[in-house]
Amino acid sequence: MIDFDVVIIGGGPAGMAAALSAIKQDVSVLLIERDKRLGGVLQQCVHNGFGLHYFNEELTGTEYAERFEQSVLSSSVKVMLDSFVIDIKADKTLTVMSAEEGIVHISAKSIVLAMGCRERPAGAIAIAGDRPCGVWTAGFAQKLCNIKGKLVGKRIVILGSGDIGLIMARRMTYSGAKVLMVCEIMPYSGGLKRNIVQCLEDNDIPLYLSTTITDIVGKKRVEGVHIAQVDSKMNVIESTKRYIECDSVLLSIGLIPENELIRDIGVEMSRITQGAVVDETRQTSISGIYSCGNVLHVHDLVDNVSREGELAGYHAALYAKSSEPLGNKKYKVIASEGVRYALPQLINAENIVGDGSGTVKLFFRVGGVYSNSAVVVKCEGREILRRPKPVFSPGEMESVVLKTKDITGDIYIGIENLPHN
């Protein structure tokens, strides 16, 4: 059995940030990554738009990852690459399968979960038709294009308007393919506004909302798809069906946090985010186990992933040195009208741990598009924050900063329409 103070699972942006934050607290840190190199999905993100908030400059995903990778490798963090965690126990012991070291048993004082997420596959939405060559998840198509140098098709239809789908519409266009359209079953896009503009509008790629692929045509290779509009109950409107000739379909239909490792050890999970329920330190319902990044909830900016990793790594290191939980009494953060979920879901009652400035930051996503509205936060019936905004959209992660002195009970966060002048 090998002992470490802090063990971090996942060497993507959240895991690397957590490791660098933890090691500053003079504890022993082990970072475990299943790939042969640190960086996670950023290794295949050759487009720019990263680092504007964290580094105050625009970087590609690979540049962003390399900065963190070099910092980790030059630190005293122990790194295990090409290694899989195959089991975690509630007492914070882990079993790791390593290509270099074989089966390794590790004991930790605290654990940071930073495993990221995986793409939802075609089977998750049960599109009718055969399963010919040419049906790809958008992330795998990105890997084939950016790392392997392979073009997945010449005439492409994309289903889903999440950020990876929007980015791949632009990437396929730049690679010489014709992206015919992006179809989105919801009445709004699931991606950032900047990606809609830069990836679709700037390249004259149409976005069809309330539209889905009803079936895929082709035996050995995709020959085309049938698309149709849907009503408010997601039922296909038969009269709108039409056939689109194409040779490839890219699916950008959502991400699933990789939480299989902790489902059997008693960690409380959120049905909405599919990640753990955490407090403001990112500690889960099991003392000493923390969660951060896309394994906790799907972010839209990697800068926020890194900040959250730093937060989790810092508190995991403090716990490793003291092994004292913050307390059992916690206030709930409750998503109300218009808000799909808010995170953290809990705030420590006896000793609210903020960022050192007497504040706590809440992240939230709305459940629809709201215009001329305001986010309103209430505590024990008192309104403690109101922030108007022209548009709230599900594709944009929102945040509010609360003063810890105002938090004296459960928090309710919701959206209210503003009166028209």
Side-chain angles (χ1 to χ4, degrees), residues 374-386:
V375 57
V376 178
V377 182
K378 296 181 179 180
C379 179
E380 297 186 311
R382 296 176 293 108
E383 184 177 300
I384 61 174
L385 183 141
R386 174 180 289 266

Side-chain angles (χ1 to χ4, degrees), residues 196-230:
I196 296 172
V197 173
Q198 296 173 4
C199 299
L200 299 189
E201 295 177 5
D202 288 355
N203 293 289
D204 296 321
I205 299 170
L207 170 63
Y208 294 103
L209 300 175
S210 298
T211 302
T212 190
I213 294 176
T214 60
D215 61 280
I216 297 172
V217 179
K219 293 294 185 180
K220 292 184 178 180
R221 177 81 196 192
V222 172
E223 298 173 6
V225 297
H226 287 101
I227 68 169
Q229 295 176 17
V230 299

Side-chain angles (χ1 to χ4, degrees), residues 105-399:
H105 299 284
I106 297 168
S107 176
K109 293 179 180 177
S110 64
I111 295 174
V112 178
L113 308 170
M115 295 88 74
C117 53
R118 65 180 184 274
E119 293 183 280
R120 183 172 280 110
I125 56 173
I127 301 177
D130 295 311
R131 287 291 175 263
C133 178
V135 181
W136 316 90
T137 60
F140 188 64
Q142 183 184 59
K143 183 175 183 178
L144 288 174
C145 182
N146 294 345
I147 295 182
K148 304 295 184 181
K150 305 292 185 181
L151 185 62
V152 299
K154 295 181 180 179
R155 290 176 58 82
I156 299 170
V157 172
I158 298 177
L159 178 62
S161 63
D163 289 312
I164 181 63
L166 301 177
I167 289 166
M168 283 308 293
R170 178 179 61 186
R171 187 70 180 95
M172 293 292 95
T173 300
Y174 288 176
S175 297
K178 175 65 175 177
V179 178
L180 303 172
M181 63 185 65
V182 175
C183 299
E184 171 56 61
I185 195 170
M186 300 300 290
Y188 48 79
S189 171
L192 293 169
K193 178 63 177 178
R194 75 181 190 195
N195 285 333
I196 296 172
V197 173
Q198 296 173 4
C199 299
L200 299 189
E201 295 177 5
D202 288 355
N203 293 289
D204 296 321
I205 299 170
L207 170 63
Y208 294 103
L209 300 175
S210 298
T211 302
T212 190
I213 294 176
T214 60
D215 61 280
I216 297 172
V217 179
K219 293 294 185 180
K220 292 184 178 180
R221 177 81 196 192
V222 172
E223 298 173 6
V225 297
H226 287 101
I227 68 169
Q229 295 176 17
V230 299
D231 61 22
S232 59
K233 296 182 178 179
M234 300 299 161
N235 297 315
V236 171
I237 303 173
E238 294 291 336
S239 62
T240 66
K241 275 190 176 180
R242 60 190 176 110
Y243 179 72
I244 306 296
E245 184 178 334
C246 62
D247 62 17
S248 294
V249 176
L250 301 191
L251 302 175
S252 177
I253 53 177
L255 300 169
I256 304 171
E258 296 265 23
N259 275 306
E260 284 71 20
L261 276 173
I262 61 170
R263 292 193 184 278
D264 296 329
I265 63 172
V267 172
E268 183 181 357
M269 305 296 290
S270 165
R271 180 182 59 85
I272 303 298
T273 65
Q274 299 185 57
V277 172
V278 297
D279 64 18
E280 77 272 24
T281 71
R282 300 308 185 263
Q283 184 171 228
T284 69
S285 58
I286 296 181
S287 295
I289 297 183
Y290 297 76
S291 183
C292 61
N294 283 349
V295 77
L296 179 60
H297 64 131
V298 177
H299 296 65
D300 45 25
L301 294 177
V302 72
D303 308 68
N304 289 336
V305 169
S306 297
R307 294 295 186 197
E308 191 167 70
E310 289 178 337
L311 181 68
Y314 171 75
H315 287 289
L318 294 187
Y319 182 91
K321 291 198 288 188
S322 68
S323 295
E324 292 183 4
L326 290 169
N328 294 322
K329 185 180 179 183
K330 298 178 187 292
Y331 299 133
K332 295 180 180 178
V333 178
I334 301 167
S336 56
E337 183 66 31
V339 174
R340 186 164 180 261
Y341 76 84
L343 192 138
Q345 297 94 340
L346 301 168
I347 296 177
N348 288 285
E350 288 93 344
N351 180 26
I352 300 175
V353 181
D355 62 0
S357 63
T359 61
V360 171
K361 193 170 189 177
L362 299 184
F363 292 89
F364 68 95
R365 282 191 190 274
V366 294
V369 177
Y370 295 88
S371 301
N372 192 39
S373 301
V375 57
V376 178
V377 182
K378 296 181 179 180
C379 179
E380 297 186 311
R382 296 176 293 108
E383 184 177 300
I384 61 174
L385 183 141
R386 174 180 289 266
R387 195 192 74 197
K389 189 179 180 184
V391 178
F392 290 95
S393 172
E396 308 272 351
M397 177 69 71
E398 301 284 350
S399 65

Side-chain angles (χ1 to χ4, degrees), residues 82-94:
D82 205 6
S83 301
F84 292 79
V85 177
I86 58 177
D87 186 55
I88 299 177
K89 301 295 184 186
D91 64 358
K92 294 181 278 295
T93 57
L94 306 89

